[in-house]
Amino acid sequence: MSRIGQLVMAAAAGISLPLAAHTKDLNVSGTLDGTAAIIALEGNIGDYYSGHLQPGKAEVYIFAPNATDKRLLARGSGGSERIHFVAATDEPRLEIVGAKGTDYEIMLTRRTPNGSQDAPTHELRSPKLQQTLTALQAGANSDAFWIDVSAQGTPLIEHVDGRTLMTFLYRGAANNVRLLGGPSSDHDWLARLGDSDIWYKTYEVPDETRLSYRLAPDVPRFDGNPRDQRMAILATAAADPRNRAPWPETAPSRWQQWSTVSLENAPVQPGFPLKGAKTPDLTSESFASDVLGNRREITFFRSENFSPDANDAVLLFMFDGPRAIAEMQIPQMLDRLTASQAIPPVAAVFIDPIDVAHRGAELPGNPDFSAFMAQELLPRALQHFGMEHDRTRTVLAGASYGGIGSTNAALDKPQSFGNVISLSGSYWWAPEGAASDNGLSYVANRLIESDLSEEIRFFIGAGRFETSTTGHYEIRETSRQLHAVLKAKGMESHWCEYDGGHDSFVWRGGYGDGLIALFGGGAKVCDESE
């Protein structure tokens, strides 16, 4: 499309395009008139675009080369959302969808990747790959390998001398492949098998492993800071096309799906699988906070057997609500656990973080957020469900930032919240300027120095793979520290270590484990020898 054509299309859609013909920055804004706005971007195949959809309710899609398939880039949550994609065509086109009168603003930077890279090399540990390499060197092609692998499903699982080897595979990338998730949190690079179309990475894993992952082929390489380069993996990451267990099964496309692995000895996840589960009854409202000066969506849920008069009913507050509902399917899990009487009836409040910026500013350790929870949201929840407050039946639950956020909010407001479920808590976090001279985390030291007048019960879980090669952002070790401090202070704390990583496919089971440990009548769910 010519520049004139772009301007005509932009004018029809009520948007503005930058005046410079070859600018690398793009700022598009407008108001929807009830139909989708189509935006043609300047650029070429392979260009990398990154930026944000500013706060708003518009959804953003990128068209595929066939002009009928589309990939969702931003869901229109109301907060600021990141956008990453690689152009699959010259002059790629975006589609903006929303209700009539919806305002939108998209800010993008376009980068031209600086070419290929030298593929890394890895030790060839997989017997099947060793055999394949021998065949390739003798003149065979890879077709037989891929037919066999596709029939089995990926990743490749092999048992060698009592060890379990898990090999992630990708076919046909030009320059590189990266692994998002899996047994590592380092976005590992896959290696190329000779000069074939086989890319691979092998790990030795416990036979109780459960995890989810995505594969990102041809991640753009460009000059930029390490964080920007690391985030570029989101431009191409998608479910593994040869994996037999995509999750969630109902996701609109592989870009919104993860591939999963549950080895034969992976522990049962309470309430799962959900085949045949009923659609949960959810009620949402926009909730304004005077304390925080913002507004977010709050979603309420009652298990089918819930009664506000039940003296054993649990009031659950769960952070990262949209993900817990749509991805982890926590409401359906709660219905199953309460129906089987594994836990008492539950009333749950799912809290939207608004966006990445608000989540980072509010969850880890913000006294104002704790005040919002205790002074504003707790009373609203009690009113909505018709319950009387009982701190011993009230629980804060979250993962990652939500894990440390649950702990800090309970420590800030122990009169309101008497229970915490923390999964993969980001206990490496500390306020700016805070320092520790004893090797313990900020929260562990805060707990040591605290003189709580109310008992708080904890369930703490973390993944065996949640370690760091640099020593920073350690989650497994700092979670174990916190559990040890709690036990040393004579507080109730349950510990679960999962053979998994920083992974919501693991967390969905951890929430059930936590509720059973705290409210399941003394049922033991994990090895608590730590």
Side-chain angles (χ1 to χ4, degrees), residues 20-61:
H22 302 290
T23 181
K24 290 189 176 182
D25 293 313
L26 173 66
N27 187 342
V28 177
S29 61
T31 302
L32 293 173
D33 63 2
T35 61
I38 307 299
I39 302 169
L41 306 178
E42 294 181 355
N44 303 295
I45 292 176
D47 282 355
Y48 169 55
Y49 296 78
S50 63
H52 291 84
L53 169 69
Q54 297 298 87
K57 288 291 187 179
E59 294 181 348
V60 182
Y61 296 83

Side-chain angles (χ1 to χ4, degrees), residues 45-48 86 111-115 219-222:
I45 292 176
D47 282 355
Y48 169 55
V86 173
R111 297 180 175 92
T112 300
N114 50 21
V219 177
R221 304 282 290 181
F222 53 88

Side-chain angles (χ1 to χ4, degrees), residues 239-513:
D240 179 352
R242 292 172 179 81
N243 178 275
R244 300 290 185 80
W247 174 73
E249 294 182 11
T250 57
S253 76
R254 65 189 183 94
W255 306 101
Q256 282 77 49
Q257 276 182 325
W258 293 80
S259 299
T260 70
V261 185
S262 297
L263 295 187
E264 56 186 350
N265 291 325
V268 172
Q269 293 188 307
F272 294 95
L274 293 173
K275 191 168 291 184
K278 298 179 181 179
T279 301
D281 184 13
L282 304 172
T283 302
S284 297
E285 67 179 46
S286 178
F287 189 84
S289 169
D290 292 333
V291 173
L292 296 172
N294 57 33
R295 179 181 292 272
R296 74 191 68 224
E297 186 170 90
I298 301 298
T299 300
F300 300 103
F301 164 81
R302 299 175 176 85
S303 62
E304 289 189 352
N305 58 352
F306 171 81
S307 167
D309 299 325
N311 58 14
D312 64 343
V314 174
L315 178 57
L316 168 67
F317 291 89
M318 182 164 286
F319 299 124
D320 295 312
R323 190 175 186 183
I325 293 170
E327 186 175 292
M328 289 183 267
Q329 298 175 292
I330 299 300
Q332 293 94 319
M333 178 268 282
L334 294 174
D335 262 338
R336 292 218 160 183
L337 292 185
T338 56
S340 68
Q341 298 185 346
I343 59 174
V346 175
V349 183
F350 296 91
I351 306 163
D352 193 326
I354 303 178
D355 55 27
V356 172
H358 283 86
R359 185 175 186 268
E362 293 177 348
L363 281 183
N366 186 331
D368 287 343
F369 188 76
S370 301
F372 153 71
M373 291 292 301
Q375 299 169 19
E376 295 180 322
L377 190 55
L378 174 59
R380 175 67 189 106
L382 295 171
Q383 177 191 46
H384 178 87
F385 294 120
M387 301 174 71
E388 296 292 329
H389 179 230
D390 179 353
R391 62 172 300 280
T392 69
R393 312 297 296 177
T394 305
V395 56
L396 299 173
S400 193
Y401 268 177
I404 187 176
S406 297
T407 299
N408 275 321
L411 294 177
D412 286 340
K413 302 294 181 181
Q415 299 84 3
S416 298
F417 308 108
N419 302 272
V420 169
I421 298 175
S422 170
L423 304 176
S424 301
S426 300
Y427 295 110
W428 49 264
W429 178 91
E432 187 175 354
S436 170
D437 58 5
N438 61 2
L440 297 179
S441 70
Y442 166 78
V443 176
N445 279 309
R446 182 184 179 194
L447 185 61
I448 289 172
E449 296 165 3
S450 68
D451 185 18
L452 293 171
S453 58
E454 304 277 3
E455 179 188 5
I456 304 174
R457 302 189 303 149
F458 284 80
F459 177 91
I460 301 176
R464 188 182 301 274
F465 305 144
E466 293 190 275
T467 59
S468 170
T469 56
T470 64
H472 295 91
Y473 308 114
E474 283 280 358
I475 287 176
R476 176 176 174 240
E477 183 58 34
T478 53
S479 295
R480 287 161 55 121
Q481 283 182 2
L482 184 65
H483 170 70
V485 170
L486 288 165
K487 298 293 282 187
K489 287 181 71 73
M491 299 175 69
E492 180 179 340
S493 180
H494 305 263
W495 167 254
C496 265
E497 186 170 304
Y498 299 97
D499 288 319
H502 202 72
D503 189 337
S504 57
F505 189 57
V506 176
W507 298 337
R508 69 173 193 171
Y511 285 124
D513 287 338

